[in-house]
């Protein structure tokens, strides 16, 4: 089967040889957690009569909440009362953690890619805007606690995504160059962060539409980790090694 990949995408990945590290977002990139976030926001907002008691739909969730840091979400939901918004987001995260244990599923092909990364002896980090308890719970529920060498939290950096700071911090702690690492992401905010940090970004169309992700300039867009486009560029990288 012939896989169509642009020469620009192919050359961006082959230029990484020798590959040293792969950096992963968490929500929507390791697992399809956005629907769980949506449920948590929808139910708790309903409880307080937000939007005159009309439940938020998926469009509202994607436009205003998905991939964003809680500080920004609080400002969107409660522009006139930010402290209330921040407290609401804390309550929502607690509820989310209860739901995660029952509902979280890995993105298709995730363990095929993590095995490839391990087999190649690469360094790896999880880099996320999620609060640390959420990130560590999702990583542990997926059985990946020992896989990641570190977990970088956007809120613990000077600026969260879409700023490049969390990805640059991961490179610094792992002691690898941006010339030899790539990123897996699923949101506009995350892809922008990776692009700003100067690395090729593989964008996953887990929940966000392809047209929306393209506005952030990912190097490659894939459906999931079984996508032949991903394995075509990884095979090219192997040939360079």
């Amino acid at each position: 089967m012939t896989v169509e990949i642009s020469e620009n995408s192919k050359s961006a990945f082959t230029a990484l040889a020798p590959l040293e590290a792969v950096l992963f977002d968490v929500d929507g990139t390791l697992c399809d957690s956005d629907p769980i976030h949506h449920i948590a926001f929808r139910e708790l907002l309903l409880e307080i009569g937000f939007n005159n008691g009309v439940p938020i739909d998926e469009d509202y969730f994607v436009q205003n909440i998905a991939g964003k840091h809680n500080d920004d979400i609080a400002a969107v939901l409660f522009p006139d009362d930010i402290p209330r918004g921040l407290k609401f987001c804390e309550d929502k995260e607690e509820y989310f953690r209860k739901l995660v244990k029952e509902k979280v599923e890995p993105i298709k092909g995730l363990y095929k890619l993590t095995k490839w990364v391990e087999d190649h002896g690469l360094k790896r980090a999880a880099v996320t805007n999620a609060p640390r308890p959420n990130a560590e719970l999702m990583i542990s529920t997926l059985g990946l606690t020992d896989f990641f060498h570190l977990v970088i939290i956007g809120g613990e950096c000077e600026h969260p995504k879409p700023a490049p700071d969390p990805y640059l911090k991961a490179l610094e702690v792992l002691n690898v160059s941006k010339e030899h690492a790539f990123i897996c992401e699923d949101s506009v905010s995350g892809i922008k962060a990776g692009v700003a940090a100067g690395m090729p970004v593989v964008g996953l169309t887990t929940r966000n539409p392809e047209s929306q992700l393209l506005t952030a300039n990912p190097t490659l867009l894939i459906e999931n980790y079984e996508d032949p486009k991903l394995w075509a560029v990884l095979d090219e990288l192997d040939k360079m090694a």
Side-chain angles (χ1 to χ4, degrees):
M1 182 178 80
T2 309
V3 180
E4 289 297 319
I5 302 167
S6 77
E7 284 307 313
N8 283 351
S9 294
K10 203 180 288 183
S11 61
F13 281 96
T14 53
L16 297 174
L19 185 64
E20 295 174 3
V22 183
L23 311 179
F24 293 85
D25 173 48
V26 176
D27 282 296
T29 301
L30 298 180
C31 51
D32 188 8
S33 49
D34 270 358
I36 311 173
H37 283 289
H38 184 192
I39 290 166
F41 272 109
R42 190 182 67 216
E43 292 187 4
L44 293 186
L45 286 170
L46 262 179
E47 277 181 22
I48 59 168
F50 182 83
N51 193 29
N52 297 319
V54 178
I56 61 165
D57 61 15
E58 185 143 1
D59 281 349
Y60 182 92
F61 176 79
V62 167
Q63 292 298 327
N64 297 288
I65 294 173
K68 291 187 169 65
H69 189 265
N70 275 347
D71 291 358
D72 301 320
I73 295 169
V76 168
L77 297 178
F78 299 94
D80 303 325
D81 192 348
I82 303 295
R84 183 188 182 196
L86 292 171
K87 174 69 174 72
F88 174 85
C89 286
E90 277 179 28
D91 294 343
K92 174 258 151 185
E93 298 303 359
E94 195 176 324
Y95 184 41
F96 170 82
R97 288 191 287 275
K98 286 179 187 163
L99 294 173
V100 157
K101 291 177 185 170
E102 307 155 21
K103 296 179 183 287
V104 77
E105 293 285 338
I107 297 292
K108 199 172 175 188
L110 174 67
Y111 299 126
K112 181 181 178 185
L113 178 58
T114 56
K115 183 178 187 310
W116 185 90
V117 169
E118 284 183 315
D119 289 349
H120 285 71
L122 305 176
K123 294 180 180 180
R124 51 264 186 190
V127 181
T128 176
N129 271 354
R132 186 168 287 279
N134 289 26
E136 291 180 347
L137 176 62
M138 284 185 277
I139 288 165
S140 126
T141 306
L142 293 165
L144 294 174
T145 302
D146 294 337
F147 171 75
F148 286 110
H149 295 125
L150 73 149
V151 179
I152 299 287
I153 303 298
E156 296 171 10
C157 301
E158 192 170 347
H159 302 286
K161 304 174 196 177
D165 304 38
Y167 280 116
L168 294 175
K169 186 175 179 183
L171 291 177
E172 185 188 339
V173 179
L174 289 175
N175 192 27
V176 296
S177 157
K178 67 179 182 181
E179 315 293 335
H180 301 291
F182 73 85
I183 292 168
C184 295
E185 265 288 357
D186 77 301
S187 70
V188 168
S189 163
I191 295 170
K192 281 182 176 173
V195 170
M199 284 170 277
V201 182
V202 176
L204 285 108
T205 57
T206 315
R207 288 279 155 191
N208 296 311
E210 198 168 306
S211 56
Q212 197 179 356
L213 296 183
L214 284 170
T215 63
N217 295 317
T219 313
L220 184 70
L221 274 187
I222 61 172
E223 190 179 339
N224 55 49
Y225 298 116
E226 289 183 356
D227 196 314
K229 293 198 290 292
L230 173 66
W231 293 96
V233 295
L234 295 183
D235 287 345
E236 288 292 327
L237 256 175
D238 272 343
K239 287 176 195 166
M240 305 288 292

